Amino acid sequence: MKRVHIGDVAVRAGVSPTTVSHALSGRRPVSEATRERILQAVDELGYHPNLVAKSLRIQRTKSVGFLVVDISNPYYPTVVQAVHDGLADQGYVSLIGITYGEPAAEEMLLRDMVARNVDGIIIQPMSLTPAEIRRIVGPLPLVLISDHEGELYADRVQTNDCEGIAAAVRHLSDRGIREAGFISGPEGRSPGTLRLASFRAAAQALGVTVAEEWIDHVPFTRAGGLEAGRRLLALPNRPRAIICANDIIAVGLIDAAREAGLSLPDDLAVIGFDDIDTANLITPHLTTVVNPARDVGAACARALLRRIERGPDEAYTVDALPTHLVRRDSA
């Protein structure tokens, strides 16, 4: 079947190709009667704009790369949807890549997105540093979901994890709980590293005891939480409370507590981080730190669009979003 071109639509509608372009893009005013004629011609001929040719003309592909860690964690689909919604409103398509937090995957997908001529990239790095990412993507508009301190190599969106963790430890202290452990992600992996450091600092400030044997590092998964929970709850001097680096780990910990015949929160207090939908569905309902996934995604979309439009000369920005504790039944 022969491809229909914009000139064919112009002939059918009795206007110039430029007028067809204006009518379809909305960039210049076209009379309503002319616009209706053009749309009718588009429908009759089955015309579809050639986006590749358009991208060559305007030097933009209207596509954006978004690299996330693990789409199976319910937190990330919410971020992805918010990014998609924010970009789609401006005519952008999101290309999603999953890195699993591995340095080789992060580098491969970054290079792949650059090769695809995306207009910008959003990534939550788990292994590569901001400097390494910038070297890979060159001058491309870039937004990092990151708590990395130091020199800015890109626009950054982050959440105030210290604030949320401190609120969690304060809640335990207010309830008279003076011994607490922490289940983090793999050693050296963000965001577990910051959340563990924040836990240690808050516990010290509030006089909450933290024994080193009450600290564990596991994957950010339910199985990881179950594994760590079994080990910590088998200790002869197990902690009275455990805070987890995310809600999925906390769900696994609750599985372990149930296995051990413990009652929450009377025998063990459990606090998560993220406030995914599951947190309010499991029994007992999970006390957790609200990590605003939709706000994070929306902020990323805004930051990237701003960078695409304004170019590389403006100073990089940091958008820091608040977190807070939501008290439920597990602590």
Side-chain angles (χ1 to χ4, degrees), residues 159-203:
T159 52
N160 192 339
D161 292 4
C162 298
E163 176 184 60
I165 291 292
V169 177
R170 193 179 310 113
H171 172 64
L172 296 177
S173 178
D174 290 345
R175 289 197 56 218
I177 296 175
R178 315 304 299 175
E179 305 87 23
F182 194 92
I183 304 177
S184 187
E187 290 194 68
R189 292 284 183 88
S190 175
T193 303
L194 174 65
R195 293 173 188 173
L196 175 55
S198 302
F199 165 74
R200 290 185 186 276

Side-chain angles (χ1 to χ4, degrees), residues 110-195:
L110 283 168
R111 294 190 185 281
D112 181 72
M113 293 298 178
V114 172
R116 292 176 185 275
N117 292 320
V118 294
D119 294 336
I121 293 176
I122 300 169
I123 177 174
Q124 181 180 25
M126 297 285 279
S127 301
L128 299 180
T129 66
E132 289 169 334
I133 293 171
R134 178 52 76 188
R135 283 196 293 270
I136 292 169
V137 306
L140 198 66
L142 175 66
V143 175
L144 303 178
I145 305 174
S146 172
D147 53 38
H148 183 87
E149 297 296 335
E151 183 177 353
L152 288 176
Y153 291 89
D155 297 300
R156 191 170 78 211
V157 174
Q158 64 185 49
T159 52
N160 192 339
D161 292 4
C162 298
E163 176 184 60
I165 291 292
V169 177
R170 193 179 310 113
H171 172 64
L172 296 177
S173 178
D174 290 345
R175 289 197 56 218
I177 296 175
R178 315 304 299 175
E179 305 87 23
F182 194 92
I183 304 177
S184 187
E187 290 194 68
R189 292 284 183 88
S190 175
T193 303
L194 174 65
R195 293 173 188 173

Side-chain angles (χ1 to χ4, degrees), residues 137-305:
V137 306
L140 198 66
L142 175 66
V143 175
L144 303 178
I145 305 174
S146 172
D147 53 38
H148 183 87
E149 297 296 335
E151 183 177 353
L152 288 176
Y153 291 89
D155 297 300
R156 191 170 78 211
V157 174
Q158 64 185 49
T159 52
N160 192 339
D161 292 4
C162 298
E163 176 184 60
I165 291 292
V169 177
R170 193 179 310 113
H171 172 64
L172 296 177
S173 178
D174 290 345
R175 289 197 56 218
I177 296 175
R178 315 304 299 175
E179 305 87 23
F182 194 92
I183 304 177
S184 187
E187 290 194 68
R189 292 284 183 88
S190 175
T193 303
L194 174 65
R195 293 173 188 173
L196 175 55
S198 302
F199 165 74
R200 290 185 186 276
Q204 182 177 12
L206 293 167
V208 173
T209 299
V210 179
E212 283 306 308
E213 63 182 347
W214 298 344
I215 305 296
D216 211 337
H217 295 271
V218 294
F220 289 101
T221 62
R222 183 173 184 170
L226 176 62
E227 171 195 337
R230 285 170 173 167
R231 188 187 74 79
L232 295 178
L233 299 182
L235 293 172
N237 62 331
R238 62 175 173 79
R240 175 65 182 80
I242 300 174
I243 298 176
C244 300
N246 74 1
D247 287 345
I248 298 298
I249 291 176
V251 171
L253 172 59
I254 291 174
D255 292 339
R258 189 172 289 116
E259 275 186 5
L262 300 179
S263 173
L264 274 65
D266 297 330
D267 299 323
L268 177 72
V270 174
I271 298 178
F273 199 107
D274 282 340
D275 195 29
I276 60 175
D277 288 343
T278 305
N280 204 27
L281 298 176
I282 61 172
T283 303
H285 295 170
L286 181 64
T287 296
T288 187
V289 176
V290 176
N291 188 11
R294 176 157 287 281
D295 292 344
V296 168
C300 287
R302 288 194 302 270
L304 191 63
L305 290 170

Side-chain angles (χ1 to χ4, degrees), residues 19 52 61 98 104 185:
T19 302
V52 174
T61 61
I98 304 173

